[in-house]
Amino acid sequence: MATSHQFPAGSDAFPHNHLLGIAGLQPWEILFLLKEAEQWVDLNRKSSKHANRLDGLTVINAFFENSTRTLLSFEIAGKRMGADVVNMHAAQSSIKKGETLIDTAVTLNAMKADAIVIRHGSSGAVQLIADKVDCPVLNAGDGRHEHPTQALLDALTIQRRKGDISGLTITICGDVMHSRVARSNIYCLTTLGAKVRVCAPAPLLPVALDRMSVEVFTDFDRALAGSDVVMMLRLQSERMNGDFIPSPREYHHLYGLTKERLQLADADALVMHPGPMNRGVEIDSDVADDVDRSTITEQVEMGVAVRMACLDILTRRSRGVEGWA
Amino acid sequence: MSKYFTNAQLVGSAEQGVMTGSLATSGDLIETVGGTEPQSKSDKIDCNGLLLAPGIVDLGVFVIDKPAFHFGGVTRAALMPDQSPVLDLPAMIKHNSAIGKPDLWSHPIAAATKSLAGKQLAEIGLMKDAGARVVSTGRQWIADSGLMFKLLQYCQSLDLPLIVHSEDANLVNGAVATSGETATRLGLASAPASAEALSIARDLTLVEETRAHVHFRQVTTERGLNLIRKAKSQGLPVTCGITPAHFLLSDIAISDFRTFARLSPPLRGEDDRQACIAAIADGTIDIISSGHDPRGPEDKRLPFAESEPGMAGAETLLALALNLVKDGMISIGRLFELLSANPARLLNVKAGSLTAGYEADLILVDPDAPWQVDTRKMAAAAGNTPFHGLPAQGRVKAIYKGGKAI
């Protein structure tokens, strides 16, 4: 495992107040978050899963966009760290009554949260809130922009299976255009030195990806050749009925990850998916359920650990941890 | 009541250049330009060697914002029909013509279609009689080519220019940025810059058919400008404009989701920005305007895609455009053709030029006076400028509307 890296002391290891995205992070900052997450993976496998680092702290999960998995993962992470966790769903909030995002942010701030986790449907919205509150803000996904904890949990999964990420060939396939997971993973994996390939139907490929140090493909078979990791993205059903893709079956024909197609990749290639999956569209069940290759449930497990690490590290300043004040 | 401006550098046309001498007004009008004999009964105004230029005629503003216009040297503003309610009735034209008088003249632009919806023609003839001097599609593109054809025929027969917004709405389809590295990195919905050329190409074809005068309000891409350049060389009755933001900023300005740089059309890539400057230098672009659209936090302090496009531009217009002169791209005379004479000609008003018999709308300009753009200290109704912090040069020292000091 590639955890021999030496990190700067104290807060120099992660000198940021918020986690808004992977873009702009240094490689050692990412590796530090991953290393810190390892201890929580171990804790989470014990029968008693309680740590007390965040005792007495309040964490608000403010989700302006529907989510089951990510919200649950953050809630579990906060609770296992000992924090009081409160979830705010957009459906129950005054957003529906016309309150602006800034007013909501100011309100959350006035309730003296110690960390706020935000998901919002609009790119840049989380940064907007972070500028208005005093406590650390964690981006749990903003529009098509970034989903940093997803990229971190993916990197942790890869690192635990494959060792050093540097030098690996990693193929990301699917709706890259609308995917914050793709953007955060591109930033994260290229920063860590992986060779990243991006594959999508042309209408779902954003322009200028080559400027982000990735290799671009529209032919999935060519992209797969020799890949060490294959990361599939979810295709929203509303995009596969003529707007971007003619039909789900055509998408499966050209971009579905089948057992046969997977043979084009490296013999030990990992198969990843951020979930929830469209079985039979972007990924076949026999691939998704192949315990030797698929890391899909492991990704979910790593997600909790990574989020515990992020909550711990971002609150170290306010908790007055030595070297972080 | 007459005035006599002495010791001034008079800004003439591009051909005339800067003339030394004096300018006399009589009542609302300019009486003589370049004379030297002071008239005994006149108010004598010593200009201390500053530039005396025609007041700026700001074509296509979204609000009549007198403090910003006076700061920026704007003496006439043509108001876009994109108001609430839309300027699509004669009464709306009449009402909005009176706003600002006497020290600022407003020329409301008639909406081309009812509610600017692009479905049915508005009462353009009645609005003309009520005082409308130009017609516009507003910030919308008329997707229906059949309707656009009839609109152009109609405007041509009424001898009214049509100001169009050039973005193919089907290609844009909700995009808030130009496709490119910045939009991709930020995860913003984007459309190719060619959405502009696509719409210009169609409209030029219809101009060829109808011979209507079309003014493309903001042309911001190399491809679009090439089409206009070619159309002009073929003698088609077309003109085009731009705002300083589009020739000074590229889409990098929207990094960090800066909503003050969210404009319509959106900021383009660096190559297109360079092409805009070249098109100003070679005369393809006829008009520089501010696109003045002050927007408060309720419209701008939002996630980028949910914010409204537009910038407060009136008070920075002159100082930013003066960069073109300082960089040697155009002469000072040409600059005031772009800012004053050409928009006045489009509006068919006798103003915008230091010519005997024209309206005495004058500004006294110190082209070297330094200042800094500060979003917190704007005269405008809101400080949404993407130029915050920029050191600027060039200030209006005095402003005269119809010969009267403001």
Side-chain angles (χ1 to χ4, degrees):
Chain A
M1 226 171 284
T3 48
S4 56
H5 199 96
Q6 294 298 307
F7 299 105
S11 62
D12 289 345
F14 196 80
H16 308 281
N17 292 322
H18 308 290
L19 180 65
L20 302 179
I22 301 293
L25 294 187
Q26 300 297 332
W28 65 85
E29 294 167 3
I30 297 171
L31 291 173
F32 175 69
L33 291 173
L34 300 184
K35 194 205 104 194
E36 286 285 319
E38 289 284 358
Q39 61 189 300
W40 307 121
V41 177
D42 297 340
L43 179 82
N44 288 338
R45 288 179 177 177
K46 292 181 181 157
S47 60
S48 171
K49 304 175 182 62
H50 199 75
N52 56 7
R53 287 204 187 176
L54 267 60
D55 271 359
L57 270 57
T58 303
V59 175
I60 301 182
N61 294 325
F63 276 55
F64 298 88
E65 193 184 65
N66 283 335
S67 158
T68 311
R69 301 160 152 258
T70 307
L71 176 59
L72 201 57
S73 181
F74 268 107
E75 185 175 359
I76 290 171
K79 285 184 169 160
R80 288 199 181 151
M81 296 298 277
D84 298 314
V85 181
V86 187
N87 295 334
M88 191 197 85
H89 303 272
Q92 300 166 359
S93 80
S94 40
I95 298 299
K96 292 240 159 133
K97 300 174 196 157
E99 184 176 79
T100 69
L101 191 57
I102 294 291
D103 289 337
T104 307
V106 169
T107 304
L108 296 179
N109 194 48
M111 293 177 186
K112 307 291 178 209
D114 297 289
I116 305 179
V117 179
I118 300 165
R119 167 167 289 192
H120 196 283
S122 203
S123 302
V126 177
Q127 182 177 326
L128 190 68
I129 295 177
D131 292 342
K132 294 286 161 193
V133 301
D134 303 317
C135 68
V137 168
L138 281 85
N139 183 358
D142 64 324
R144 317 169 175 186
H145 178 225
E146 284 233 42
H147 190 356
T149 55
Q150 177 72 42
L152 292 170
L153 73 88
D154 288 338
L156 183 62
T157 307
I158 297 169
Q159 200 183 61
R160 286 171 62 94
R161 287 277 195 123
K162 292 275 181 191
D164 200 345
I165 286 172
S166 170
L168 294 178
T169 299
I170 301 174
T171 297
I172 303 173
C173 177
D175 181 1
V176 179
M177 169 93 77
H178 300 97
S179 176
R180 52 194 172 214
V181 174
R183 280 176 183 75
S184 285
N185 264 310
I186 288 170
Y187 291 129
C188 184
L189 298 169
T190 55
T191 302
L192 295 180
K195 287 188 251 166
V196 177
R197 297 174 178 175
V198 165
C199 178
L204 292 174
L205 265 178
V207 304
L209 275 175
D210 52 318
R211 303 288 296 270
M212 295 169 70
S213 320
V214 301
E215 213 182 333
V216 181
F217 294 81
T218 50
D219 182 332
F220 193 23
D221 292 348
R222 285 187 48 220
L224 275 176
S227 293
D228 298 302
V229 178
V230 186
M231 199 178 272
M232 302 304 292
L233 300 173
R234 177 179 167 77
L235 181 67
Q236 304 285 349
S237 56
E238 63 266 27
R239 298 200 175 109
M240 42 177 140
N241 289 309
D243 271 8
F244 290 90
I245 307 293
S247 66
R249 69 171 185 172
E250 176 153 324
Y251 188 76
H252 179 262
H253 177 66
L254 294 173
Y255 297 98
L257 187 60
T258 60
K259 203 158 196 165
E260 299 72 51
R261 207 167 241 154
L262 184 57
Q263 287 172 4
L264 296 167
D266 185 84
D268 300 321
L270 299 181
V271 174
M272 307 180 75
H273 194 295
M277 286 180 279
N278 293 304
R279 288 172 182 268
V281 182
E282 71 257 8
I283 190 164
D284 276 2
S285 282
D286 50 1
V287 177
D289 300 334
D290 179 344
V291 286
D292 297 326
R293 314 290 292 276
S294 166
T295 63
I296 295 167
T297 51
E298 203 174 317
Q299 287 169 267
V300 177
E301 185 192 350
M302 295 306 126
V304 177
V306 155
R307 286 163 185 136
M308 289 166 80
C310 290
L311 285 170
D312 169 30
I313 290 162
L314 288 171
T315 55
R316 283 186 188 177
R317 274 176 203 82
S318 64
R319 288 186 286 123
V321 174
E322 205 189 330
W324 289 76
Chain B
M1 181 64 186
S2 301
K3 282 197 177 64
Y4 196 78
F5 296 86
T6 178
N7 190 21
Q9 299 187 63
L10 305 173
V11 179
S13 66
E15 261 176 34
Q16 293 167 317
V18 176
M19 309 166 283
T20 49
S22 305
L23 181 144
T25 67
S26 172
D28 302 347
L29 305 178
I30 296 171
E31 193 177 37
T32 58
V33 181
T36 49
E37 283 295 307
Q39 294 169 327
S40 52
K41 286 180 186 170
S42 301
D43 254 350
K44 201 165 147 188
I45 296 163
D46 186 343
C47 298
N48 291 318
L50 297 180
L51 295 173
L52 187 65
I56 293 171
V57 181
D58 199 350
L59 186 78
V61 301
F62 289 85
V63 65
I64 298 299
D65 185 358
K66 214 187 266 189
F69 293 159
H70 285 167
F71 184 100
V74 174
T75 48
R76 287 169 189 261
L79 181 66
M80 289 295 282
D82 314 55
Q83 306 291 319
S84 175
V86 169
L87 308 186
D88 61 357
L89 289 171
M92 300 296 303
I93 300 295
K94 265 207 176 106
H95 171 73
N96 283 285
S97 300
I99 293 177
K101 279 182 181 168
D103 49 356
L104 174 83
W105 278 27
S106 154
H107 299 287
I109 300 172
T113 59
K114 286 175 186 164
S115 307
L116 287 175
K119 304 284 183 206
Q120 300 161 291
L121 294 179
E123 293 169 328
I124 296 167
L126 288 174
M127 287 192 278
K128 180 184 181 185
D129 287 350
R133 294 172 167 276
V134 279
V135 179
S136 177
T137 63
R139 246 181 201 159
Q140 312 290 325
W141 185 67
I142 294 181
D144 180 339
S145 302
L147 181 71
M148 188 65 181
F149 179 54
K150 282 169 246 168
L151 173 63
L152 287 170
Q153 289 178 310
Y154 207 69
C155 287
Q156 200 275 336
S157 69
L158 289 168
D159 199 20
L160 289 173
L162 178 70
I163 301 177
V164 299
H165 181 89
S166 298
E167 280 183 289
D168 183 314
N170 293 321
L171 191 51
V172 170
N173 190 24
V176 297
T178 305
S179 296
E181 185 183 352
T182 304
T184 294
R185 283 184 181 275
L186 295 177
L188 292 173
S190 64
S194 54
E196 179 176 283
L198 197 57
S199 89
I200 291 175
R202 182 202 66 176
D203 290 348
L204 287 175
T205 310
L206 294 174
V207 167
E208 227 173 308
E209 204 69 50
T210 59
R211 293 280 148 183
H213 176 184
V214 167
H215 174 72
F216 298 88
R217 191 168 74 90
Q218 296 181 76
V219 183
T220 59
T221 64
E222 183 173 15
R223 280 174 154 189
L225 289 162
N226 285 342
L227 290 170
I228 304 276
R229 196 174 282 124
K230 183 160 167 248
K232 284 185 162 187
S233 74
Q234 292 167 340
L236 292 181
V238 294
T239 50
C240 72
I242 195 165
T243 70
H246 286 100
F247 67 75
L248 291 173
L249 300 176
S250 70
D251 60 353
I252 291 172
I254 67 171
S255 297
D256 283 335
F257 302 99
R258 290 179 60 212
T259 57
F260 283 6
R262 175 160 185 221
L263 305 176
S264 165
L267 290 172
R268 308 299 190 184
E270 178 62 16
D271 291 350
D272 282 328
R273 186 187 80 84
Q274 299 281 355
C276 290
I277 290 184
I280 293 170
D282 74 11
T284 304
I285 289 175
D286 305 277
I287 290 174
I288 300 176
S289 56
S290 74
H292 191 63
D293 193 2
R295 295 271 181 180
E298 66 282 6
D299 290 330
K300 284 292 190 183
R301 209 187 287 156
L302 292 169
F304 192 88
E306 294 165 28
S307 69
E308 294 289 334
M311 65 172 276
E315 55 204 284
T316 52
L317 173 62
L318 176 61
L320 295 176
L322 272 167
N323 284 318
L324 295 164
V325 178
K326 297 198 167 84
D327 294 346
M329 305 306 296
I330 53 171
S331 68
I332 188 86
R334 176 61 184 164
L335 176 64
F336 277 93
E337 287 183 350
L338 293 161
L339 291 172
S340 306
N342 290 346
R345 193 170 300 130
L346 188 85
L347 291 165
N348 196 19
V349 290
K350 281 179 95 173
S353 151
L354 302 189
T355 303
Y358 274 42
E359 197 80 18
D361 299 346
L362 305 168
I363 54 175
L364 202 55
V365 177
D366 179 349
D368 300 317
W371 59 293
Q372 192 172 25
V373 183
D374 187 335
T375 177
R376 293 157 302 189
K377 293 182 189 162
M378 302 272 280
N384 52 312
T385 172
F387 294 103
H388 175 65
L390 189 80
Q393 258 186 306
R395 277 292 276 270
V396 175
K397 294 293 178 185
I399 177 165
Y400 301 86
K401 176 75 193 79
K404 289 185 193 65
I406 297 168

